[in-house]
Amino acid sequence: MTPEIILGIIELLKWAVPEIEKDIAAGLIPVEKQQQVKDAFVDLADHLDEKFSAPEWQIDPDPKPATPTVVVNVNPPVK
Amino acid sequence: MRTLPALLLLVLLTSCATRLENTTLKPSPYGGDAYLYRADQIIVLSYSELDEFVKWEKNFRALINNPKVKAHADYVRANARKWVTSAIALREAYSKIPDANVQDELQAILNTITEAINQSLTYMAQNKITINIPPP
């Protein structure tokens, strides 16, 4: 396991662990809590299309760099 | 700081510290399988975290003003659905036939997601957005 993966897991744990720690503190995960997790998982699995169709999941094109404006005089010089 | 090895084990779904209530009167929706419970929990949390990141990036893109952050967000946008779909499929496969190979594959996809989350959290930490709202 590379250091990057270990660092990644540490970062992941910063948000995942409080939830997991509560489980450990409880000693035995009550059925009600299990059902909450299962419901959340089923909701995710059943609504993947919807969840990944939200605006934040759409890739916006990168802004194009500004192109210099070239002014062309199409009128012939007045003599 | 928390003890890394113990937490590592937790996230890597060994979940030996987890016991699920499972009695005749109150049967476990997981049939008492702590691995499945932990897999579901991590898949759900992973989606939430990636969703938070892409929302943050979209909402504050102008303020963040960093092409690397957008590139990573677009990488997440392009791949997260595939990762989550694979994790769900492997979790379902494991629930039918608890097999070590499936477990390894599930672990591999969760590692990929973890790396993406790690980078996302790093960018969020490096680009803290402060919004000052003047008092009325």
Side-chain angles (χ1 to χ4, degrees):
Chain A
M1 184 170 287
T2 65
E4 288 77 18
I5 291 176
I6 292 172
L7 283 174
I9 291 170
I10 293 170
E11 290 297 327
L12 175 69
L13 290 169
K14 286 180 185 170
W15 57 266
V17 159
E19 190 68 16
I20 295 170
E21 278 182 343
K22 282 183 210 163
D23 285 354
I24 296 168
L28 193 68
I29 313 297
V31 166
E32 293 78 11
K33 173 69 191 296
Q34 296 175 46
Q35 194 60 53
Q36 280 177 12
V37 170
K38 181 133 191 175
D39 290 347
F41 174 79
V42 169
D43 178 66
L44 176 64
D46 286 352
H47 298 96
L48 273 185
D49 282 341
E50 197 181 315
K51 289 183 185 291
F52 284 103
S53 299
E56 65 267 21
W57 283 100
Q58 308 314 308
I59 297 178
D60 297 325
D62 291 321
K64 288 181 182 169
T67 49
T69 306
V70 177
V71 179
V72 178
N73 185 0
V74 293
N75 297 319
V78 179
K79 290 181 182 176
Chain B
M1 177 170 276
R2 297 175 173 118
T3 312
L4 178 62
L7 297 175
L8 205 60
L9 288 175
L10 281 171
V11 168
L12 296 179
L13 300 175
T14 49
S15 62
C16 52
T18 303
R19 290 185 304 123
L20 304 184
E21 182 183 22
N22 186 23
T23 63
T24 311
L25 285 178
K26 294 178 87 175
S28 161
Y30 291 96
D33 187 333
Y35 181 90
L36 267 186
Y37 166 78
R38 196 61 82 205
D40 283 8
Q41 192 176 37
I42 289 179
I43 291 168
V44 168
L45 287 170
S46 297
Y47 167 77
S48 300
E49 190 65 14
L50 292 174
D51 189 52
E52 279 300 310
F53 171 67
V54 293
K55 265 187 201 157
W56 170 83
E57 189 278 331
K58 186 177 178 65
N59 290 339
F60 300 110
R61 187 173 299 154
L63 287 172
I64 298 165
N65 192 25
N66 182 342
K68 284 184 181 172
V69 177
K70 182 173 187 303
H72 178 67
D74 286 348
Y75 166 71
V76 169
R77 290 184 178 106
N79 292 288
R81 184 185 174 129
K82 183 178 65 186
W83 297 332
V84 173
T85 303
S86 298
I88 290 171
L90 288 164
R91 178 266 184 224
E92 296 294 355
Y94 177 83
S95 73
K96 292 186 178 84
I97 305 168
D99 178 75
N101 291 334
V102 179
Q103 217 170 339
D104 288 346
E105 285 184 52
L106 178 56
Q107 187 57 61
I109 195 75
L110 290 176
N111 284 344
T112 302
I113 296 174
T114 302
E115 286 181 58
I117 291 172
N118 174 40
Q119 188 59 64
S120 305
L121 292 171
T122 302
Y123 280 134
M124 289 174 89
Q126 287 171 351
N127 296 274
K128 284 188 179 155
I129 306 292
T130 306
I131 299 173
N132 292 318
I133 301 172

